[in-house]
Amino acid sequence: MWAILASQRPTPPSGWEEGLLYDIWLNLIANNGWQRLLEGFALTLQVTLGGLVLGITFGFVLALMRISRLPPLRWLSTLYITVVRGTPTVLQLMIWVFVILNSPDIPRLLVGIIAFGANSAAYTCEIFRGGILAVDKGQTEAGRSLGLGSGKNMRLIVLPQAIKNSLPSLSNEFITLFKETSLLGFVAITDLTRAANQIRVVTFNAFVPLISAALIYLTVVIILTWALGKLERRLRKGDSR
Amino acid sequence: MIRVENLSKSFGENLVLDNITESIAEGEKVVIIGPSGGGKSTFLRCLNLLEVPTSGQVWVDGVEITAKKVDINAMRRKMGMVFQHFNLFPHKTALGNLTLAPRHTKIMTKAEAEKFGLALLERVGLADKAHQYPAQLSGGQKQRVAIARSLAMRPKIMLFDEPTSALDPEMVGEVLDVMRNLALEGMTMVVVTHEMHFAKDVGDRVLFMCGGQIVEQGRPKEIFTNPQNPRTRQFLNSIL
């Protein structure tokens, strides 16, 4: 890309020849920087959404294990959470890609999703557990006194309320996960952050690509925060206990 | 209908029920009074095993529910319980609260449960609130829904754990009225309460509990007009 830039030296449109405008043209337009950022952003979103779905599903299972009456399930869940929370996310990502699922047959993007899902699960597990514990004990007493077994009581009475309790923290986890996917560059997956960095390397200009990427992250986080807050308020309507 | 033998319950070092033996006949209305911390609620909660006794036996309808292999869920269906704080399911409508247990314990189909549920709401005067959520109801209405919810399982016994203690004074009456009607229909009732008028009007027998024991018991008239035990006297003086 740099070679092309050097040999052909495309010229900027009039009025864009110098200063910040030139930098913007050079980084985002001249070498199709916008396209790289867009592709990176698409990848970031894929890993975020995939990781989120996986993390919530697996985290929910872990939470049920954690409150289970069977000690081995509790231990397993606790062990998993301890390991995941006790090691750096970027290292976990590298271990997934280069150790556990190190095979040319497995798409690396998928491994990235698995790595972030597995990581997020440990945190969503604790969120769900907190949500379950926050359900008033009287709810279980009412359910059991009506003759519901513990499983039905959990499924029909406790969990619907627990999930609602968990939503605010789950929104936070969603946003955290979205930003954490910027680590994907460490395993050579070109997400938004890595795409921005690649432009920097080619153009020798850091300001425009890095700030552009930052603005994209920020915009998405602001939109997400607003949308999730709105969803939460709607779910809470008519429910004051 | 209910028989309790040598029932004791401790929470750690704290002995809450001290070797209680008592029985309650079918159709009888027993009111339990006494100072807080005296073991009233714990006694009531041992009757449907929400608290597991430390020692002793409880028989309900001829079955020892403290036995190891008993189907406690089936036994609990025979006993409705009404709580101080209602414990309605906030994510279900009033009718949804009533139909949940009958449907999911498979004793009724959805249609049957809804028909019966609506009839019960009618009976407690809340037919128009069937599709409202608990958050939209007043305290008295919530407690009436809670009573109807217990009745939805067609219990033989109703246990009331201070059903009016969390209510604003002006809402106590409507809940007591529902309980009075239930008593008139012949339901076996065990009621922990501080409503002495209710105890006098409705109770066949009053148990005074203090220090984990049934210190004194008798017909309401005897207990309230001529208490024998000094602790009963002291308690009644302090509240009347």
Side-chain angles (χ1 to χ4, degrees):
Chain A
M1 186 63 74
W2 176 241
I4 295 166
L5 274 176
S7 61
Q8 299 184 346
R9 288 213 169 270
T11 45
S14 65
W16 293 63
E17 285 92 348
E18 52 193 312
L20 182 61
L21 287 180
Y22 174 77
D23 286 346
I24 290 173
W25 171 80
L26 175 70
N27 286 285
L28 301 184
I29 299 163
N31 67 3
N32 276 344
W34 64 274
Q35 207 176 339
R36 284 166 172 253
L37 288 182
L38 206 64
E39 283 165 11
F41 179 56
L43 206 130
T44 292
L45 283 185
Q46 281 176 54
V47 175
T48 305
L49 293 177
L52 187 78
V53 170
L54 200 65
I56 285 178
T57 315
F58 188 32
F60 190 70
V61 175
L62 281 173
L64 292 181
M65 286 168 67
R66 190 98 201 255
I67 57 165
S68 151
R69 266 176 306 187
L70 302 173
L73 292 181
R74 286 206 303 270
W75 296 332
L76 213 61
S77 176
T78 309
L79 176 70
Y80 183 84
I81 292 161
T82 307
V83 170
V84 170
R85 293 209 297 191
T87 52
T89 308
V90 66
L91 209 55
Q92 289 168 28
L93 177 65
M94 289 161 78
I95 290 170
W96 276 106
V97 172
F98 300 125
V99 181
I100 302 176
L101 297 177
N102 184 17
S103 152
D105 302 331
I106 309 170
R108 186 161 287 190
L109 175 64
L110 183 66
V111 183
I113 289 173
I114 291 172
F116 277 103
N119 176 267
S120 182
Y123 296 91
T124 48
C125 164
E126 289 297 89
I127 291 169
F128 282 129
R129 191 172 72 102
I132 291 169
L133 293 179
V135 175
D136 184 41
K137 225 177 91 216
Q139 293 290 312
T140 293
E141 291 185 349
R144 298 306 305 274
S145 78
L146 287 165
L148 296 174
S150 60
K152 276 188 176 147
N153 181 66
M154 179 55 74
R155 185 164 57 82
L156 298 167
I157 294 164
V158 177
L159 287 181
Q161 298 180 57
I163 289 169
K164 209 161 165 185
N165 290 343
S166 307
L167 279 180
S169 308
L170 278 182
S171 317
N172 284 339
E173 174 60 23
F174 185 10
I175 287 165
T176 306
L177 180 64
F178 172 65
K179 290 183 296 177
E180 278 213 324
T181 55
S182 62
L183 298 172
L184 283 165
F186 278 91
V187 293
I189 297 176
T190 309
D191 71 317
L192 176 56
T193 301
R194 190 164 192 250
N197 197 41
Q198 284 175 343
I199 298 173
R200 179 186 67 84
V201 169
V202 171
T203 62
F204 291 114
N205 178 298
F207 183 82
V208 172
L210 298 190
I211 297 295
S212 304
L215 284 176
I216 295 174
Y217 280 110
L218 185 62
T219 310
V220 172
V221 167
I222 288 171
I223 292 171
L224 271 181
T225 308
W226 172 80
L228 291 170
K230 200 168 161 141
L231 174 75
E232 206 187 299
R233 277 193 299 278
R234 233 176 68 187
L235 283 171
R236 210 161 353 127
K237 219 193 285 178
D239 175 34
S240 56
R241 264 182 302 132
Chain B
M1 183 59 92
I2 301 176
R3 199 163 96 240
V4 173
E5 266 178 30
N6 305 108
L7 178 69
S8 292
K9 171 74 186 177
S10 357
F11 294 107
E13 294 285 288
N14 188 13
L15 183 65
V16 183
L17 293 179
D18 185 4
N19 201 29
I20 292 178
T21 297
E22 188 55 67
S23 42
I24 293 164
E26 184 161 2
E28 198 178 15
K29 287 93 184 103
V30 173
V31 179
I32 306 175
I33 61 169
S36 47
K40 306 179 302 274
S41 287
T42 308
F43 176 70
L44 195 72
R45 290 159 60 85
C46 279
L47 298 183
N48 69 352
L49 249 52
L50 279 188
E51 299 291 354
V52 180
T54 311
S55 63
Q57 288 92 44
V58 178
W59 281 266
V60 172
D61 207 16
V63 178
E64 189 199 338
I65 61 168
T66 39
K68 277 232 150 54
K69 56 186 188 305
V70 75
D71 179 358
I72 188 61
N73 294 328
M75 291 310 293
R76 281 182 178 141
R77 284 165 208 163
K78 298 184 181 185
M79 293 177 273
M81 188 167 212
V82 176
F83 301 87
Q84 181 176 357
H85 296 288
F86 330 128
N87 299 347
L88 288 180
F89 308 134
H91 59 300
K92 297 282 177 191
T93 61
L95 184 60
N97 267 272
L98 266 66
T99 56
L100 187 142
R103 280 176 56 195
H104 290 280
T105 53
K106 308 248 157 58
I107 63 170
M108 292 179 204
T109 65
K110 184 169 186 245
E112 284 166 353
E114 282 182 355
K115 193 167 164 235
F116 187 47
L118 282 170
L120 284 171
L121 285 175
E122 179 85 53
R123 208 164 121 192
V124 299
L126 292 171
D128 55 327
K129 306 286 185 194
H131 301 291
Q132 309 243 307
Y133 284 86
Q136 298 164 294
L137 303 175
S138 73
Q141 292 170 339
K142 281 184 201 172
Q143 194 62 299
R144 285 188 279 157
V145 171
I147 293 171
R149 177 177 68 179
S150 295
L151 294 175
M153 295 297 289
R154 299 186 190 278
K156 294 184 164 182
I157 302 165
M158 285 287 284
L159 310 173
F160 292 86
D161 190 2
E162 303 201 21
T164 57
S165 296
L167 294 176
D168 290 335
E170 77 268 23
M171 294 172 179
V172 171
E174 62 192 71
V175 172
L176 292 181
D177 284 344
V178 169
M179 291 168 64
R180 270 198 189 90
N181 287 334
L182 202 55
L184 288 176
E185 287 162 23
M187 177 67 77
T188 308
M189 292 164 70
V190 186
V191 185
V192 172
T193 188
H194 296 292
E195 297 294 329
M196 296 304 149
H197 285 293
F198 178 82
K200 274 184 221 171
D201 296 351
V202 178
D204 296 320
R205 188 152 55 107
V206 172
L207 309 182
F208 174 72
M209 281 190 77
C210 185
Q213 292 175 322
I214 299 172
V215 173
E216 184 170 359
Q217 63 166 293
R219 299 178 60 77
K221 209 184 269 178
E222 295 159 13
I223 296 279
F224 287 113
T225 55
N226 188 20
Q228 300 300 310
N229 190 292
R231 280 190 286 183
T232 317
R233 247 172 286 164
Q234 194 195 349
F235 174 75
L236 289 173
N237 280 334
S238 69
I239 58 158
L240 291 177

